[in-house]
Amino acid sequence: DAGVIQSPRHEVTEMGQEVTLRCKPISGHDYLFWYRQTMMRGLELLIYFNNNVPIDDSGMPEDRFSAKMPNASFSTLKIQPSEPRDSAVYFCASSKTGGAPNEQFFGPGTRLTVL
Amino acid sequence: RKEVEQDPGPFNVPEGATVAFNCTYSNSASQSFFWYRQDCRKEPKLLMSVYSSGNEDGRFTAQLNRASQYISLLIRDSKLSDSATYLCVVYTGGFKTIFGAGTRLFVKA
């Protein structure tokens, strides 16, 4: 079975450019999570969805960040405009909860560098 | 104070040693707890769940102490392959997850 798929795996862009990160969760999973990982701040939850609906976006750092989940098999995280401090590894994870917290399966991550 | 705190280490231990990590959390309403393992430049992967009654999986044992608000992970008979960063995870409300900063473990021959 395919795991969580993220694209691109690496992205290098210049400050001010728009960046779109993509995620395909595991089929049948009802929760999708977006995380950011840096050396300074560790792994931070940005937003999570339940059945394609955003539930908690309190971790989104500012209005430059937005996330969507138009259907059960696709989600995007967009940064516009990007800044050098956005450089990090962005992970997407999905989970089949059955009503209670359960294992989250992480994608391989997108390593973003903003120059 | 951070909501979830871990000793960052690193812990440097010889093969065969027993090593223990602790993780403290501040929200007494937290309900679910897990340990994840992350290898260098890889994604986190579930190691084990943590229950009030304790949870053992081979050489790994996880415990929850609600009164003192901490969870622990014990690794017995350490292997070289156990070298990784160990992340504790706390669910604080609904499905909102908070990860600790991680504890780095190096097992040497």
Side-chain angles (χ1 to χ4, degrees):
Chain A
D1 287 341
V4 175
I5 299 172
Q6 291 187 249
S7 65
R9 294 292 305 277
H10 301 273
E11 176 81 28
V12 180
T13 190
E14 293 188 346
M15 183 174 62
Q17 296 299 305
E18 178 180 295
V19 175
T20 299
L21 311 181
R22 298 172 175 79
C23 174
K24 176 179 171 57
I26 294 173
S27 176
H29 282 195
D30 54 347
Y31 276 80
L32 183 140
F33 305 81
W34 280 102
Y35 293 91
R36 176 174 68 177
Q37 187 172 39
T38 62
M39 288 294 292
M40 291 296 295
R41 301 176 67 89
L43 196 62
E44 301 174 284
L45 176 65
L46 300 177
I47 184 172
Y48 71 92
F49 295 81
N50 175 217
N51 292 325
N52 314 336
V53 176
I55 302 300
D56 188 329
D57 65 355
S58 59
M60 297 285 261
E62 47 197 276
D63 292 344
R64 298 185 296 106
F65 286 69
S66 62
K68 295 181 179 179
M69 192 166 184
N71 57 63
S73 59
F74 185 65
S75 178
T76 60
L77 178 68
K78 186 176 294 186
I79 308 173
Q80 166 64 19
S82 58
E83 297 183 3
R85 60 194 168 116
D86 301 331
S87 298
V89 179
Y90 291 81
F91 288 104
C92 173
S94 70
S95 180
K96 186 177 178 64
T97 64
N102 204 348
E103 178 177 4
Q104 291 187 29
F105 292 83
F106 283 75
T110 295
R111 188 170 297 273
L112 174 65
T113 302
V114 184
L115 303 175
Chain B
R1 182 186 173 189
K2 291 183 180 179
E3 290 189 75
V4 177
E5 294 200 70
Q6 290 184 254
D7 181 344
F11 285 64
N12 293 287
V13 303
E15 273 187 297
T18 295
V19 61
F21 310 135
N22 280 343
C23 170
T24 59
Y25 60 96
S26 60
N27 188 335
S28 60
S30 300
Q31 291 295 319
S32 299
F33 310 87
F34 299 83
W35 283 101
Y36 278 70
R37 169 194 168 126
Q38 186 173 25
D39 293 304
C40 187
R41 301 181 74 84
K42 297 288 189 179
E43 69 273 21
K45 293 183 178 180
L46 179 68
L47 179 64
M48 59 197 310
S49 306
V50 187
Y51 308 119
S52 297
S53 56
N55 187 17
E56 185 171 321
D57 183 4
R59 298 182 293 108
F60 299 82
T61 300
Q63 292 277 358
L64 167 63
N65 185 316
R66 287 192 182 274
S68 300
Q69 294 184 203
Y70 74 85
I71 63 174
S72 63
L73 177 68
L74 181 75
I75 306 175
R76 292 180 297 276
D77 189 22
S78 299
K79 310 292 185 189
L80 294 175
S81 57
D82 294 334
S83 298
T85 296
Y86 292 84
L87 305 163
C88 65
V89 183
V90 176
Y91 282 74
T92 60
F95 290 81
K96 182 174 181 177
T97 49
I98 299 179
F99 276 78
T103 298
R104 297 184 69 186
L105 172 65
F106 295 100
V107 181
K108 53 186 185 295

